[in-house]
Amino acid sequence: MTWTDVVLFMLTRLEWGVLCYFLLVNSAYAVLIVSAGWDMWDYTLKARGENRWRVLGSRAAPRISMLVPAHNEAATIAQSVQALLALHYPNLEVVVVDDGSRDETMDVLREQYDLVPIHPVYRKQIDSKPVRALYWSRRHANLLVIAKDRGGKADAQNAGLNLATGELICVSDADTLIEPDALQRMVRPFLEADVIAVGGTIRVANGSLVRGGRVTMPRAPRTLLAGVQAIEYLRAFLFGRLGWNRLGGNLIISGAFGLFRREAVIAGGGYAHDTVGEDMELIARLRRQGREQNLRYRVAFVPDPVAWTQAPESLRGLGRQRERWHRGLAQVMWRHRRLCFNPRYGALGLVVYPFFLLVELLAPVVEAVGLLGLFAGLVLGVVNTSFALLFFLVAYGYSLVLTLLTLVLEEVNFHRYEGIGDRLILLVWALLEPLGYRQLTVVWRLCGLINFLRGRTDWGETERRGFQATPEPQPS
Amino acid sequence: MTAQTLLVIVVIIESILLMDALVVFLGHGLWLTWRRRRSSARVAEARAAVAAAIEDAIPSEEQLRPLRSLATRWQIRLLVEAARNMSGERRERLCALARELGLVDGARAWCRSRLWWRRLHGARLLTALGDGEAAMLALLEDLHPVVRAQAAEWAADHPAPGVIDALLNHLDDDSGLTRFTARDSLLRMGDAVIAPLISYLSRHTGRRVEAAMEVAAGLADPRLLSPALAACRNRLPRARALAAVLLGAIGGREGAGVLMVLLADPAPGVRAAAAQALGRLGYWPAAPRLAPLLRDLAWSVRREAGLALRALGAPGVLYLRRLLSDDDPFAVDMARQILDLPDVVWQPASPSP
């Protein structure tokens, strides 16, 4: 057997391996989309015609503390806090944690909200960097501001957890816009069952009309990079996370918008400092501890509470974000490796963890190997060109089917985007997303894996664009 | 069949699926746009008709025509929209209008459906209109928890003895949503609940008392004194803690005496609640009993005892000062923190027991 024969043999086997992986992953996606459709149907039936003002006006509604870590956010903090204070929820406390800002964040808050220093008797249940001062607003009795030494987002959230008084805590970024009635919808699963965390849908705000900290007119993004991300977010939330509701629960609640039972988070030890995937790590830890202590901890996802975020519009910013996300995923998977195929953890160990490991974490490796192998196969003549083309069509078509089914789910249930123009634009982004953009994400995610193996743990630079008031569309 | 043929078949299936999804996505969008354009004027006209019908005791057929011409779904939407902002006579008129349009009968029929979501839909409509007592009473015992919860929501506006008893029985329902809605409705009913609640508390023990005490603590009525005193002997710590909260709200020498006993309760939640209640009452004879609690192992008890001493005024502050030279460092620390508090204090809401 010559070297050429060995290479050809390897390439053939590799292609079969990739094909099997492709079938496995897409079968899992098919199950997820069916599960998401089922859950969406059930949710819609329960929510149709519901009077949410009952929860809003109820004396029995659980208190929610909104934790807002802020670091050098002087430009946007006043508007963000104002939007949070105006959320439609009866028993809400807003806890802003200034994480050692060097700009005028504290001055802006002092001026805007008439802050006075306070000295509450509180218990430091979770470790965090020293708290320098605490302030209470004379204008808004439910606003608490914590000024502390710089310790990062997780540390700021831990400091907030110590001071927050709510039964539930809502975590959000300073640059996330939350819809006014989102909390009313998010709180519902906590009333129904032993739920410790609830996630809500996050959408891309680029291109939408933003006024006074609210998205007043959702519109499909007009630029390619934001457009394909809008499609990606819809797919990730409406079928990825919703699908998991019935298949063993979610492992990720986005750090940009999630609601947690405070007691459970404190008992779990709060947010981890040494990972860039602290939101996922917390959920994995809480669920793991729940199984270990025989507690019925559930993590739910509610499809319609919407928070809007500004997606990066530069390749550099997006690349850094995706690299960080994948590095965070790798850190969490490694830290909780005991879960893998461990029957002690039920669906979490036997279904959810293996899925995240094989489909989410290792996908870029398999995709990269598959693409390189395909290229080599074509060059060496091992792979039939027409077969390769057909295979590409199948893969592209399947991806499009999943995306379009997600768009159908969105359209039939929420139809947030008004007008046919926006729908057509979304369709264009859906067609373009698998061509080029997805391959780029493979590169970024591979970088994340490599950096994880190198032991990198920093956040790197993060881009804050803020929300500009988008001009209103002109009538045609 | 070769692999290539198989792939061709898959591509064909995908194409069919894609076309279907595309038709639904764009077709739905087009239909929504068309419907919005077509019905916006008619809906506005019908909305005006609803407003006029509510103003006039007997609306004319002419007035109702725009409303009748709409699909049932739209009629429901308009009436529910109006009902949420209305009460008294106007709501009665709105309900009469719904009857006239046949919506109430339709909702009653839905409430008898075998499909839970149809029953839920009917229940939601009847809740908004405040009608359909017989149908809603039956739904209070529905098999589906969301339907039961909806019926409990309806009950908030119908404080009849039978309804209150049914709600009290739902306080320990299997479904969390039903429990929450029942509690909320009972709290909204207010005074009407007191007598049935006293009777309920006298008849039950254990978890049922615990659930009922949550309502009692929320109502904080002096007539609940004797059930509160009885609940202080309940085997469940949460029930005793809630009883302490209630006693703190009601006051009275008898209640204060029992609260003093609860300061020695084995459960820290109960001790903390009792300390907080005594502070709230400003019952200064409790100061000597509160001071040792600053050496308690539970932080929440130390905090509540310290704050209670502060609330008692001079006698409490005297004890706090003495505690600054105590042997227990935790007691010293808490006493210092409490004494360092400024005159006007912001305190986060104490966690519920």
Side-chain angles (χ1 to χ4, degrees), chain A residues 46 48-49 54 58-60 118-119 121-123 136 165 191 386-387 390 394 397-398 404 408 411 415 423, chain B residues 4 7 11 14 18 21-22 25 28-30 32 84 124 153 176-177 180 184 188 218 299 303 337 341 346 348:
Chain A
K46 283 180 184 165
R48 188 178 58 170
R54 168 136 316 249
S58 171
R59 283 162 67 188
I118 50 159
H119 310 266
V121 180
Y122 75 97
R123 189 182 187 187
W136 168 65
T165 59
L191 305 177
S386 59
F387 182 85
L390 260 177
V394 168
Y398 194 78
L404 275 184
V408 167
E411 172 62 36
H415 35 269
R423 289 177 174 87
Chain B
Q4 209 145 338
L7 285 183
V11 169
E14 282 178 355
L18 273 176
L22 205 63
F25 179 64
H28 191 264
L30 280 170
L32 277 181
R84 280 181 186 161
R124 282 195 171 145
E153 185 179 327
L177 187 66
F180 171 80
D184 178 56
R188 281 169 194 269
W299 180 87
R303 175 181 180 266
Q337 282 193 63
L341 287 174
W346 175 89

Short mmCIF file of all heavy atoms in Angstrom, two decimals, chain A residues 46 48-49 54 58-60 118-119 121-123 136 165 191 386-387 390 394 397-398 404 408 411 415 423, chain B residues 4 7 11 14 18 21-22 25 28-30 32 84 124 153 176-177 180 184 188 218 299 303 337 341 346 348:
data_model
loop_
_atom_site.label_atom_id
_atom_site.label_comp_id
_atom_site.label_asym_id
_atom_site.label_seq_id
_atom_site.Cartn_x
_atom_site.Cartn_y
_atom_site.Cartn_z
N LYS A 46 -51.76 29.04 26.04
CA LYS A 46 -51.88 29.50 27.43
C LYS A 46 -51.86 31.03 27.52
O LYS A 46 -52.48 31.61 28.40
CB LYS A 46 -50.74 28.92 28.27
CG LYS A 46 -50.96 27.47 28.62
CD LYS A 46 -49.81 26.96 29.45
CE LYS A 46 -49.98 25.47 29.71
NZ LYS A 46 -48.76 24.85 30.19
N ARG A 48 -52.78 33.25 25.12
CA ARG A 48 -53.76 33.98 24.31
C ARG A 48 -54.84 34.61 25.20
O ARG A 48 -55.49 33.93 25.98
CB ARG A 48 -54.40 33.01 23.31
CG ARG A 48 -55.28 33.69 22.29
CD ARG A 48 -55.84 32.69 21.32
NE ARG A 48 -56.60 31.64 22.01
CZ ARG A 48 -57.35 30.75 21.39
NH1 ARG A 48 -57.44 30.74 20.10
NH2 ARG A 48 -58.02 29.84 22.08
N GLY A 49 -55.00 35.89 25.07
CA GLY A 49 -56.07 36.59 25.79
C GLY A 49 -55.81 36.75 27.28
O GLY A 49 -56.69 37.13 28.03
N ARG A 54 -53.06 41.38 35.89
CA ARG A 54 -53.35 40.73 37.17
C ARG A 54 -52.05 40.58 37.96
O ARG A 54 -51.98 40.90 39.13
CB ARG A 54 -54.00 39.38 36.93
CG ARG A 54 -54.06 38.56 38.17
CD ARG A 54 -55.37 37.86 38.37
NE ARG A 54 -56.54 38.66 38.13
CZ ARG A 54 -57.37 39.05 39.08
NH1 ARG A 54 -57.11 38.81 40.33
NH2 ARG A 54 -58.45 39.71 38.79
N SER A 58 -50.73 42.78 41.34
CA SER A 58 -50.93 41.87 42.47
C SER A 58 -50.03 42.18 43.65
O SER A 58 -48.85 42.47 43.49
CB SER A 58 -50.68 40.44 42.00
OG SER A 58 -50.67 39.58 43.10
N ARG A 59 -50.61 42.07 44.86
CA ARG A 59 -49.80 42.24 46.07
C ARG A 59 -48.95 41.00 46.30
O ARG A 59 -48.01 41.01 47.08
CB ARG A 59 -50.73 42.43 47.27
CG ARG A 59 -51.32 43.82 47.37
CD ARG A 59 -52.53 43.81 48.27
NE ARG A 59 -52.19 43.53 49.66
CZ ARG A 59 -53.09 43.31 50.61
NH1 ARG A 59 -54.38 43.36 50.32
NH2 ARG A 59 -52.72 43.07 51.84
N ALA A 60 -49.37 39.91 45.65
CA ALA A 60 -48.64 38.66 45.87
C ALA A 60 -47.50 38.45 44.87
O ALA A 60 -46.79 37.46 44.94
CB ALA A 60 -49.62 37.49 45.77
N ILE A 118 -26.15 55.64 51.88
CA ILE A 118 -26.91 54.89 52.89
C ILE A 118 -26.00 53.85 53.53
O ILE A 118 -24.93 53.53 53.00
CB ILE A 118 -28.14 54.18 52.28
CG1 ILE A 118 -27.73 53.38 51.04
CG2 ILE A 118 -29.23 55.16 51.98
CD1 ILE A 118 -28.68 52.31 50.68
N HIS A 119 -26.46 53.31 54.66
CA HIS A 119 -25.66 52.31 55.38
C HIS A 119 -26.55 51.15 55.78
O HIS A 119 -26.89 51.00 56.94
CB HIS A 119 -25.04 52.92 56.65
CG HIS A 119 -24.34 54.20 56.40
ND1 HIS A 119 -22.99 54.24 56.15
CD2 HIS A 119 -24.78 55.47 56.33
CE1 HIS A 119 -22.63 55.50 55.95
NE2 HIS A 119 -23.70 56.26 56.04
N VAL A 121 -27.79 47.41 56.84
CA VAL A 121 -27.18 46.26 57.49
C VAL A 121 -27.44 45.09 56.55
O VAL A 121 -28.56 44.63 56.42
CB VAL A 121 -27.83 46.00 58.86
CG1 VAL A 121 -27.19 44.78 59.51
CG2 VAL A 121 -27.70 47.21 59.73
N TYR A 122 -26.42 44.67 55.85
CA TYR A 122 -26.63 43.57 54.91
C TYR A 122 -25.57 42.50 55.11
O TYR A 122 -24.55 42.72 55.75
CB TYR A 122 -26.62 44.08 53.46
CG TYR A 122 -25.25 44.42 52.91
CD1 TYR A 122 -24.54 43.52 52.14
CD2 TYR A 122 -24.68 45.66 53.18
CE1 TYR A 122 -23.29 43.84 51.64
CE2 TYR A 122 -23.43 45.98 52.69
CZ TYR A 122 -22.73 45.06 51.92
OH TYR A 122 -21.50 45.38 51.43
N ARG A 123 -25.85 41.36 54.54
CA ARG A 123 -24.98 40.21 54.74
C ARG A 123 -24.23 39.90 53.46
O ARG A 123 -24.87 39.75 52.41
CB ARG A 123 -25.85 39.02 55.11
CG ARG A 123 -25.10 37.83 55.56
CD ARG A 123 -26.09 36.74 55.83
NE ARG A 123 -25.44 35.60 56.43
CZ ARG A 123 -26.05 34.45 56.64
NH1 ARG A 123 -27.32 34.32 56.33
NH2 ARG A 123 -25.41 33.44 57.16
N TRP A 136 -28.85 55.56 47.64
CA TRP A 136 -30.28 55.36 47.41
C TRP A 136 -30.79 56.63 46.75
O TRP A 136 -30.32 57.73 47.07
CB TRP A 136 -30.95 55.10 48.75
CG TRP A 136 -32.44 55.15 48.73
CD1 TRP A 136 -33.27 54.30 48.08
CD2 TRP A 136 -33.27 56.07 49.43
NE1 TRP A 136 -34.56 54.63 48.32
CE2 TRP A 136 -34.59 55.72 49.15
CE3 TRP A 136 -33.02 57.16 50.28
CZ2 TRP A 136 -35.68 56.42 49.66
CZ3 TRP A 136 -34.10 57.84 50.78
CH2 TRP A 136 -35.41 57.48 50.48
N THR A 165 -32.78 42.71 47.31
CA THR A 165 -33.75 42.19 48.28
C THR A 165 -34.86 41.38 47.61
O THR A 165 -35.74 40.89 48.28
CB THR A 165 -34.40 43.36 49.04
OG1 THR A 165 -35.03 44.21 48.08
CG2 THR A 165 -33.39 44.13 49.85
N LEU A 191 -44.20 31.04 38.91
CA LEU A 191 -45.44 30.81 39.65
C LEU A 191 -45.94 29.38 39.44
O LEU A 191 -46.71 28.86 40.22
CB LEU A 191 -46.53 31.78 39.20
CG LEU A 191 -46.21 33.27 39.25
CD1 LEU A 191 -47.37 34.08 38.70
CD2 LEU A 191 -45.91 33.70 40.67
N SER A 386 -20.03 15.85 -8.79
CA SER A 386 -21.49 16.02 -8.78
C SER A 386 -22.07 15.58 -7.43
O SER A 386 -23.01 16.18 -6.92
CB SER A 386 -22.12 15.23 -9.92
OG SER A 386 -21.80 13.87 -9.78
N PHE A 387 -21.45 14.55 -6.84
CA PHE A 387 -21.90 14.10 -5.52
C PHE A 387 -21.65 15.21 -4.48
O PHE A 387 -22.51 15.51 -3.66
CB PHE A 387 -21.13 12.83 -5.12
CG PHE A 387 -21.56 12.27 -3.79
CD1 PHE A 387 -22.66 11.44 -3.69
CD2 PHE A 387 -20.88 12.61 -2.63
CE1 PHE A 387 -23.06 10.94 -2.46
CE2 PHE A 387 -21.28 12.13 -1.39
CZ PHE A 387 -22.38 11.28 -1.32
N LEU A 390 -24.16 17.94 -4.91
CA LEU A 390 -25.47 17.51 -4.38
C LEU A 390 -25.47 17.56 -2.85
O LEU A 390 -26.44 18.00 -2.23
CB LEU A 390 -25.75 16.07 -4.83
CG LEU A 390 -26.69 15.90 -6.02
CD1 LEU A 390 -26.81 14.44 -6.38
CD2 LEU A 390 -28.06 16.49 -5.72
N VAL A 394 -27.84 19.67 -0.36
CA VAL A 394 -28.60 19.07 0.76
C VAL A 394 -28.32 19.85 2.05
O VAL A 394 -29.24 20.23 2.78
CB VAL A 394 -28.23 17.58 0.94
CG1 VAL A 394 -28.77 17.04 2.25
CG2 VAL A 394 -28.78 16.77 -0.21
N GLY A 397 -29.72 23.37 1.78
CA GLY A 397 -31.19 23.30 1.81
C GLY A 397 -31.70 23.02 3.22
O GLY A 397 -32.65 23.63 3.68
N TYR A 398 -31.01 22.10 3.91
CA TYR A 398 -31.48 21.75 5.26
C TYR A 398 -31.36 22.94 6.19
O TYR A 398 -32.27 23.22 6.99
CB TYR A 398 -30.65 20.58 5.79
CG TYR A 398 -31.29 19.95 7.01
CD1 TYR A 398 -32.37 19.09 6.88
CD2 TYR A 398 -30.85 20.26 8.28
CE1 TYR A 398 -32.97 18.54 8.00
CE2 TYR A 398 -31.45 19.72 9.40
CZ TYR A 398 -32.51 18.85 9.25
OH TYR A 398 -33.11 18.32 10.35
N LEU A 404 -36.06 28.87 7.78
CA LEU A 404 -37.40 29.31 7.36
C LEU A 404 -38.49 28.84 8.32
O LEU A 404 -39.45 29.56 8.59
CB LEU A 404 -37.70 28.81 5.95
CG LEU A 404 -37.15 29.70 4.83
CD1 LEU A 404 -37.56 29.21 3.48
CD2 LEU A 404 -37.65 31.14 4.98
N VAL A 408 -41.10 31.06 10.24
CA VAL A 408 -42.55 30.78 10.26
C VAL A 408 -43.06 30.82 11.70
O VAL A 408 -44.11 31.40 11.99
CB VAL A 408 -42.85 29.41 9.59
CG1 VAL A 408 -44.26 28.95 9.88
CG2 VAL A 408 -42.63 29.51 8.08
N GLU A 411 -43.28 34.35 12.65
CA GLU A 411 -44.33 35.05 11.90
C GLU A 411 -45.72 34.69 12.44
O GLU A 411 -46.54 35.56 12.71
CB GLU A 411 -44.20 34.67 10.42
CG GLU A 411 -45.31 35.14 9.52
CD GLU A 411 -45.42 36.64 9.48
OE1 GLU A 411 -44.37 37.30 9.52
OE2 GLU A 411 -46.57 37.15 9.43
N HIS A 415 -45.15 37.85 14.85
CA HIS A 415 -45.08 38.83 13.73
C HIS A 415 -44.66 40.23 14.20
O HIS A 415 -45.40 41.19 14.09
CB HIS A 415 -46.38 38.88 12.91
CG HIS A 415 -47.64 38.70 13.69
ND1 HIS A 415 -48.23 37.50 13.92
CD2 HIS A 415 -48.43 39.61 14.29
CE1 HIS A 415 -49.33 37.66 14.62
NE2 HIS A 415 -49.47 38.92 14.86
N ARG A 423 -40.04 41.57 5.88
CA ARG A 423 -40.04 40.10 5.76
C ARG A 423 -39.15 39.67 4.60
O ARG A 423 -38.41 38.68 4.69
CB ARG A 423 -41.47 39.60 5.56
CG ARG A 423 -42.31 39.72 6.81
CD ARG A 423 -43.74 39.29 6.54
NE ARG A 423 -44.53 39.26 7.75
CZ ARG A 423 -45.19 40.30 8.25
NH1 ARG A 423 -45.13 41.47 7.65
NH2 ARG A 423 -45.89 40.20 9.36
N GLN B 4 -26.27 8.86 -4.62
CA GLN B 4 -26.60 10.07 -5.38
C GLN B 4 -28.12 10.23 -5.53
O GLN B 4 -28.66 11.32 -5.35
CB GLN B 4 -25.94 9.99 -6.75
CG GLN B 4 -25.62 11.34 -7.29
CD GLN B 4 -24.31 11.33 -8.10
OE1 GLN B 4 -23.48 10.45 -7.91
NE2 GLN B 4 -24.16 12.27 -8.97
N LEU B 7 -29.59 11.43 -2.36
CA LEU B 7 -29.39 12.87 -2.15
C LEU B 7 -30.37 13.68 -2.99
O LEU B 7 -30.89 14.71 -2.53
CB LEU B 7 -27.95 13.26 -2.49
CG LEU B 7 -26.87 12.87 -1.49
CD1 LEU B 7 -25.52 13.39 -1.92
CD2 LEU B 7 -27.19 13.39 -0.09
N VAL B 11 -32.98 16.42 -1.68
CA VAL B 11 -33.05 17.79 -2.21
C VAL B 11 -34.49 18.13 -2.61
O VAL B 11 -35.00 19.23 -2.33
CB VAL B 11 -32.09 17.98 -3.40
CG1 VAL B 11 -32.35 19.30 -4.11
CG2 VAL B 11 -30.65 17.93 -2.93
N GLU B 14 -36.54 18.68 0.49
CA GLU B 14 -36.18 19.99 1.07
C GLU B 14 -36.82 21.13 0.28
O GLU B 14 -37.32 22.10 0.86
CB GLU B 14 -34.67 20.17 1.07
CG GLU B 14 -33.98 19.40 2.18
CD GLU B 14 -32.46 19.54 2.16
OE1 GLU B 14 -31.92 20.16 1.20
OE2 GLU B 14 -31.82 19.02 3.06
N LEU B 18 -39.21 23.88 1.70
CA LEU B 18 -38.85 25.30 1.58
C LEU B 18 -39.98 26.11 0.96
O LEU B 18 -40.32 27.20 1.43
CB LEU B 18 -37.60 25.45 0.72
CG LEU B 18 -36.26 25.33 1.42
CD1 LEU B 18 -35.13 25.39 0.42
CD2 LEU B 18 -36.10 26.45 2.45
N ALA B 21 -42.75 26.51 3.52
CA ALA B 21 -42.40 27.48 4.56
C ALA B 21 -42.46 28.90 4.01
O ALA B 21 -42.95 29.83 4.68
CB ALA B 21 -41.02 27.18 5.12
N LEU B 22 -41.98 29.04 2.79
CA LEU B 22 -41.97 30.36 2.15
C LEU B 22 -43.39 30.88 1.95
O LEU B 22 -43.70 32.05 2.22
CB LEU B 22 -41.26 30.23 0.80
CG LEU B 22 -40.63 31.47 0.23
CD1 LEU B 22 -39.53 31.97 1.15
CD2 LEU B 22 -40.04 31.18 -1.15
N PHE B 25 -44.80 31.83 5.36
CA PHE B 25 -44.16 33.04 5.88
C PHE B 25 -44.65 34.29 5.16
O PHE B 25 -45.15 35.23 5.79
CB PHE B 25 -42.63 32.89 5.74
CG PHE B 25 -41.86 34.08 6.23
CD1 PHE B 25 -41.90 34.46 7.56
CD2 PHE B 25 -41.07 34.83 5.35
CE1 PHE B 25 -41.18 35.56 8.01
CE2 PHE B 25 -40.36 35.92 5.80
CZ PHE B 25 -40.41 36.29 7.13
N HIS B 28 -48.68 34.64 5.22
CA HIS B 28 -49.18 35.14 6.50
C HIS B 28 -48.95 36.64 6.62
O HIS B 28 -49.82 37.39 7.07
CB HIS B 28 -48.50 34.38 7.65
CG HIS B 28 -49.12 34.64 8.99
ND1 HIS B 28 -48.62 35.58 9.85
CD2 HIS B 28 -50.21 34.11 9.59
CE1 HIS B 28 -49.37 35.59 10.95
NE2 HIS B 28 -50.35 34.70 10.81
N GLY B 29 -47.75 37.05 6.18
CA GLY B 29 -47.44 38.48 6.23
C GLY B 29 -48.38 39.29 5.35
O GLY B 29 -48.90 40.33 5.77
N LEU B 30 -48.62 38.77 4.15
CA LEU B 30 -49.52 39.48 3.22
C LEU B 30 -50.94 39.53 3.77
O LEU B 30 -51.62 40.56 3.72
CB LEU B 30 -49.53 38.75 1.87
CG LEU B 30 -48.35 39.04 0.95
CD1 LEU B 30 -48.34 38.09 -0.23
CD2 LEU B 30 -48.42 40.48 0.45
N LEU B 32 -51.85 39.39 6.89
CA LEU B 32 -51.92 40.33 8.02
C LEU B 32 -52.03 41.77 7.52
O LEU B 32 -52.83 42.56 8.03
CB LEU B 32 -50.67 40.20 8.89
CG LEU B 32 -50.63 39.10 9.93
CD1 LEU B 32 -49.33 39.17 10.71
CD2 LEU B 32 -51.80 39.22 10.90
N ARG B 84 -61.66 45.90 30.43
CA ARG B 84 -60.53 46.00 31.37
C ARG B 84 -60.46 47.35 32.05
O ARG B 84 -59.86 47.49 33.10
CB ARG B 84 -59.22 45.72 30.64
CG ARG B 84 -59.03 44.23 30.47
CD ARG B 84 -57.76 43.89 29.78
NE ARG B 84 -57.74 42.45 29.53
CZ ARG B 84 -56.98 41.85 28.65
NH1 ARG B 84 -56.15 42.54 27.93
NH2 ARG B 84 -57.02 40.54 28.49
N ARG B 124 -61.61 33.06 30.09
CA ARG B 124 -60.97 34.39 30.01
C ARG B 124 -61.98 35.44 29.57
O ARG B 124 -61.99 36.56 30.09
CB ARG B 124 -59.78 34.35 29.05
CG ARG B 124 -58.61 33.70 29.74
CD ARG B 124 -57.30 33.93 29.05
NE ARG B 124 -56.25 33.44 29.94
CZ ARG B 124 -55.14 32.85 29.55
NH1 ARG B 124 -54.89 32.69 28.28
NH2 ARG B 124 -54.25 32.43 30.43
N GLU B 153 -59.07 33.58 39.12
CA GLU B 153 -58.94 35.01 38.79
C GLU B 153 -60.32 35.65 38.69
O GLU B 153 -60.55 36.75 39.21
CB GLU B 153 -58.18 35.15 37.47
CG GLU B 153 -57.88 36.59 37.11
CD GLU B 153 -57.11 36.71 35.80
OE1 GLU B 153 -56.30 35.83 35.49
OE2 GLU B 153 -57.34 37.69 35.09
N GLY B 176 -48.80 25.50 41.16
CA GLY B 176 -48.32 26.75 41.74
C GLY B 176 -49.10 27.95 41.24
O GLY B 176 -49.39 28.88 41.99
N LEU B 177 -49.47 27.92 39.96
CA LEU B 177 -50.20 29.04 39.38
C LEU B 177 -51.58 29.19 40.02
O LEU B 177 -52.02 30.29 40.34
CB LEU B 177 -50.33 28.84 37.86
CG LEU B 177 -50.93 30.01 37.10
CD1 LEU B 177 -50.02 31.21 37.15
CD2 LEU B 177 -51.20 29.62 35.65
N PHE B 180 -51.14 30.59 43.51
CA PHE B 180 -50.84 32.02 43.46
C PHE B 180 -52.11 32.82 43.16
O PHE B 180 -52.40 33.83 43.82
CB PHE B 180 -49.79 32.29 42.38
CG PHE B 180 -49.56 33.75 42.10
CD1 PHE B 180 -48.77 34.51 42.95
CD2 PHE B 180 -50.17 34.38 41.02
CE1 PHE B 180 -48.58 35.86 42.71
CE2 PHE B 180 -49.98 35.73 40.77
CZ PHE B 180 -49.18 36.47 41.62
N ASP B 184 -53.98 35.51 45.53
CA ASP B 184 -54.14 36.87 45.03
C ASP B 184 -55.62 37.29 45.07
O ASP B 184 -55.95 38.40 45.52
CB ASP B 184 -53.59 36.94 43.60
CG ASP B 184 -53.75 38.30 42.98
OD1 ASP B 184 -53.25 39.26 43.59
OD2 ASP B 184 -54.38 38.42 41.92
N ARG B 188 -57.44 40.25 47.22
CA ARG B 188 -58.22 41.31 46.58
C ARG B 188 -59.63 41.41 47.17
O ARG B 188 -60.21 42.48 47.21
CB ARG B 188 -58.34 41.03 45.08
CG ARG B 188 -57.10 41.39 44.30
CD ARG B 188 -57.20 40.85 42.90
NE ARG B 188 -55.91 40.89 42.24
CZ ARG B 188 -55.46 41.91 41.50
NH1 ARG B 188 -56.23 42.94 41.31
NH2 ARG B 188 -54.28 41.88 40.95
N GLY B 218 -51.33 38.83 54.96
CA GLY B 218 -51.56 39.90 53.98
C GLY B 218 -52.75 40.76 54.34
O GLY B 218 -52.74 41.98 54.12
N TRP B 299 -27.70 34.89 61.25
CA TRP B 299 -27.48 36.30 60.95
C TRP B 299 -28.81 37.06 60.88
O TRP B 299 -28.92 38.18 61.40
CB TRP B 299 -26.73 36.44 59.62
CG TRP B 299 -26.46 37.86 59.22
CD1 TRP B 299 -25.40 38.61 59.59
CD2 TRP B 299 -27.28 38.70 58.41
NE1 TRP B 299 -25.48 39.86 59.05
CE2 TRP B 299 -26.64 39.94 58.32
CE3 TRP B 299 -28.49 38.52 57.75
CZ2 TRP B 299 -27.16 41.00 57.59
CZ3 TRP B 299 -29.02 39.58 57.03
CH2 TRP B 299 -28.35 40.81 56.95
N ARG B 303 -29.79 40.38 63.00
CA ARG B 303 -30.15 41.63 62.33
C ARG B 303 -31.53 42.13 62.77
O ARG B 303 -31.69 43.30 63.15
CB ARG B 303 -30.15 41.42 60.81
CG ARG B 303 -30.63 42.62 60.01
CD ARG B 303 -30.60 42.25 58.54
NE ARG B 303 -31.05 43.34 57.71
CZ ARG B 303 -32.29 43.49 57.28
NH1 ARG B 303 -33.23 42.64 57.65
NH2 ARG B 303 -32.61 44.50 56.51
N GLN B 337 -23.05 47.99 63.99
CA GLN B 337 -23.67 48.32 62.69
C GLN B 337 -25.02 49.02 62.89
O GLN B 337 -25.33 50.00 62.22
CB GLN B 337 -23.91 47.04 61.88
CG GLN B 337 -22.67 46.50 61.22
CD GLN B 337 -23.04 45.45 60.19
OE1 GLN B 337 -23.71 45.74 59.22
NE2 GLN B 337 -22.63 44.22 60.44
N LEU B 341 -26.12 53.28 62.22
CA LEU B 341 -27.11 53.67 61.20
C LEU B 341 -27.49 55.14 61.39
O LEU B 341 -27.66 55.60 62.52
CB LEU B 341 -28.36 52.81 61.31
CG LEU B 341 -28.24 51.35 60.84
CD1 LEU B 341 -29.52 50.60 61.17
CD2 LEU B 341 -27.99 51.29 59.35
N TRP B 346 -32.41 53.90 55.34
CA TRP B 346 -32.97 53.12 54.25
C TRP B 346 -32.69 51.68 54.60
O TRP B 346 -31.55 51.31 54.87
CB TRP B 346 -32.29 53.48 52.93
CG TRP B 346 -32.75 52.62 51.80
CD1 TRP B 346 -33.79 52.85 50.98
CD2 TRP B 346 -32.16 51.39 51.36
NE1 TRP B 346 -33.90 51.85 50.06
CE2 TRP B 346 -32.91 50.93 50.27
CE3 TRP B 346 -31.08 50.61 51.77
CZ2 TRP B 346 -32.62 49.76 49.59
CZ3 TRP B 346 -30.80 49.44 51.10
CH2 TRP B 346 -31.56 49.02 50.03
N PRO B 348 -33.43 47.71 53.25
CA PRO B 348 -34.09 46.87 52.26
C PRO B 348 -35.23 46.10 52.93
O PRO B 348 -35.16 45.82 54.13
CB PRO B 348 -32.99 45.94 51.80
CG PRO B 348 -31.96 45.97 52.86
CD PRO B 348 -32.06 47.30 53.51
#
